[in-house]
Amino acid sequence: MKDFAGKIAVITGGGTGMGRELARQLVAEGCNVAMCDVSAEAMAETKRLCEVERLPLGLRITTHIADVAIEGHLKRFRDELIEQQATDKIHLLFNNAGIGGGGSLFTNTREQWEKTFNICWGGVYLGVRTFLQLLMKADEGHIVNTSSVNGFWASVGIGVSHTAYSAAKFAVKGFTEALMNDLRLNAPHIKCSVVMPGHIGTSIVSNSRKIQNGTESDSLSENDLLAMRQRLKGIGIDTAPMSDEDIQKIALVRARTFRDEAPTSAAQAAKIILDGIKAGKWRILVGDDAHKLDERVRQMPERAYEAEFYQSFAAEVGWRIG
Ligand SMILES: NC(=O)c1ccc[n+]([C@@H]2O[C@H](COP(=O)([O-])OP(=O)(O)OC[C@H]3O[C@@H](n4cnc5c(N)ncnc54)[C@H](O)[C@@H]3O)[C@@H](O)[C@H]2O)c1
């Protein structure tokens, strides 16, 4: 797909982060956008930002409340889109919504594990199922599934249990790579890409915590406190003398630095993704850190989960997220 003007794009998780920036850049190129999120407030802000510039006549930006892990919500989103965008087709599908957390079989509950897995994997799978018919009706279509560097490397450092997110992101990568052939065989006018971002400056750390805990508060749950203590121990910090309040403060600073001190911004990431689609890439790595990690894992797969591998990679790219 060489340009987006006059097309219709669906974006899941359009409320903040990369989803928001994708919406803004698509609208700036004259593309109609229908987004969903669990936060109406966040989507209203995305819409406002999209409308700051004068929109081409007739361009539509619609917002829809839907949890991507629930098929009924996605179907309702699709039906609302058909009505509000006055269309029976879409051209672009960005399965972008995702959260972290819930990564341990020991210190997290099953509900937390499955929440992350069902959003990050189920949301992508159900997104494709739900919108495939509308993509089929377009003259050309493109499915963009967001995985992560955790789709080829199942870790964020040795102090962190990361099974739910990694399992989901590997699934997204495997599914999208296999989908290429399924599309070639059965719907050659539709292409797909898997997006694998490195560290991107978004509020995913605090958003994930809030969604996992079902609260708008930034307070850590018992599980969060335990996970944070493990994470700090993993980087050699003795947390025994620290109170829960100390841990809470460190977690808040960490969520802020994750957003504000990332090597790649959400806007830069969205541009890389959109340029990748235009260039016909099926494999879109986002950020120098993602490219370097991809190389390292291929060079030394057997050593990928050793402390030294992480430490030397983190030192090279300046990661402080483990
Ligand atoms: N930020 C990073 O460093 C990074 C790295 C690799 C991959 N990713 C992936 O990129 C995607 C976007 O993440 P981001 O960093 O922009 O995060 P973000 O938290 O800024 O944005 C994600 C959006 O998805 C929404 N969302 C969460 N659960 C949802 C659900 N069940 N249904 C609908 N919407 C939901 C959130 O409300 C939020 O608006 C995610 O899939 C994430 O896993 C992010």
Side-chain angles (χ1 to χ4, degrees), residues 12-20 36-39 42-43 46 64-70 73-74 95-100 115 118-120 123-124 145-150 165 169 195-208 211 258 262 264 266 273 286 289 319 321:
T12 69
T16 58
M18 283 182 264
R20 167 178 289 172
C36 82
D37 206 286
V38 288
S39 167
M43 281 192 290
T46 298
H64 310 264
I65 286 286
D67 178 340
V68 295
I70 302 173
H73 283 201
L74 284 172
N95 285 306
N96 158 81
I99 64 163
K115 184 155 230 160
N118 291 342
I119 292 173
C120 288
V124 170
N145 293 333
T146 298
S147 172
S148 162
V149 290
N150 290 136
Y165 190 82
K169 296 299 188 181
V195 173
M196 293 169 285
H199 176 194
I200 312 300
T202 72
S203 301
I204 191 170
V205 173
S206 63
N207 287 344
S208 299
I211 291 174
F258 184 94
T264 309
I273 295 167
V286 184
D289 51 352
W319 265 22
I321 65 179

Side-chain angles (χ1 to χ4, degrees), residues 85-144:
Q85 295 269 350
T87 186
D88 63 349
K89 61 172 91 69
I90 64 162
H91 306 84
L92 288 148
L93 170 61
F94 293 87
N95 285 306
N96 158 81
I99 64 163
S104 171
L105 295 176
F106 301 92
T107 59
N108 288 116
T109 63
R110 181 169 177 158
E111 285 69 28
Q112 289 172 320
W113 198 99
E114 289 178 3
K115 184 155 230 160
T116 292
F117 188 77
N118 291 342
I119 292 173
C120 288
W121 158 243
V124 170
Y125 168 65
L126 294 173
V128 172
R129 281 243 177 248
T130 305
F131 288 101
L132 201 51
Q133 285 311 314
L134 299 193
L135 284 159
M136 292 288 286
K137 290 189 184 142
D139 50 356
E140 57 173 342
H142 204 113
I143 299 169
V144 186

Side-chain angles (χ1 to χ4, degrees), residues 17-294:
M18 283 182 264
R20 167 178 289 172
E21 297 305 324
L22 284 167
R24 293 178 71 182
Q25 292 178 28
L26 284 163
V27 165
E29 293 196 33
C31 185
N32 300 281
V33 166
M35 74 188 88
C36 82
D37 206 286
V38 288
S39 167
E41 219 181 310
M43 281 192 290
E45 177 60 8
T46 298
K47 189 169 183 207
R48 188 190 69 76
L49 289 166
C50 289
E51 288 170 346
V52 165
E53 303 294 329
R54 210 159 62 87
L55 300 181
L57 205 64
L59 189 135
R60 295 176 205 230
I61 305 166
T62 56
T63 59
H64 310 264
I65 286 286
D67 178 340
V68 295
I70 302 173
E71 190 169 7
H73 283 201
L74 284 172
K75 286 185 169 164
R76 187 183 60 210
F77 170 25
R78 180 193 57 198
D79 294 346
E80 287 174 6
L81 174 156
I82 289 169
E83 197 189 322
Q84 294 175 26
Q85 295 269 350
T87 186
D88 63 349
K89 61 172 91 69
I90 64 162
H91 306 84
L92 288 148
L93 170 61
F94 293 87
N95 285 306
N96 158 81
I99 64 163
S104 171
L105 295 176
F106 301 92
T107 59
N108 288 116
T109 63
R110 181 169 177 158
E111 285 69 28
Q112 289 172 320
W113 198 99
E114 289 178 3
K115 184 155 230 160
T116 292
F117 188 77
N118 291 342
I119 292 173
C120 288
W121 158 243
V124 170
Y125 168 65
L126 294 173
V128 172
R129 281 243 177 248
T130 305
F131 288 101
L132 201 51
Q133 285 311 314
L134 299 193
L135 284 159
M136 292 288 286
K137 290 189 184 142
D139 50 356
E140 57 173 342
H142 204 113
I143 299 169
V144 186
N145 293 333
T146 298
S147 172
S148 162
V149 290
N150 290 136
F152 59 80
W153 181 66
S155 173
V156 279
I158 52 166
V160 188
S161 296
H162 203 47
T163 65
Y165 190 82
S166 300
K169 296 299 188 181
F170 267 69
V172 171
K173 179 167 180 285
F175 171 65
T176 312
E177 292 192 12
L179 184 60
M180 273 196 293
N181 220 33
D182 199 16
L183 293 171
R184 263 184 214 135
L185 291 169
N186 298 298
H189 68 297
I190 306 175
K191 309 281 182 253
C192 65
S193 304
V194 57
V195 173
M196 293 169 285
H199 176 194
I200 312 300
T202 72
S203 301
I204 191 170
V205 173
S206 63
N207 287 344
S208 299
R209 193 176 295 134
K210 287 175 187 165
I211 291 174
Q212 275 287 358
N213 296 335
T215 159
E216 271 308 301
S217 149
D218 266 314
S219 297
L220 299 197
S221 66
E222 286 295 313
N223 281 325
D224 295 334
L225 286 166
L226 195 59
M228 198 61 209
R229 284 184 188 275
Q230 278 186 343
R231 186 181 278 264
L232 293 169
K233 191 172 160 210
I235 51 172
I237 297 172
D238 176 16
T239 63
M242 295 182 188
S243 67
D244 285 352
E245 285 72 39
D246 296 333
I247 301 290
Q248 166 82 48
K249 277 188 204 141
I250 292 172
L252 283 182
V253 171
R254 193 185 147 264
R256 239 191 341 262
T257 52
F258 184 94
R259 185 193 62 206
D260 297 341
E261 294 176 21
T264 309
S265 70
Q268 287 168 329
K271 177 157 185 0
I272 291 167
I273 295 167
L274 296 179
D275 287 349
I277 298 166
K278 286 178 186 161
K281 286 189 183 167
W282 66 263
R283 186 172 191 275
I284 305 176
L285 289 158
V286 184
D288 282 350
D289 51 352
H291 284 278
K292 286 188 173 133
L293 188 54
D294 184 44

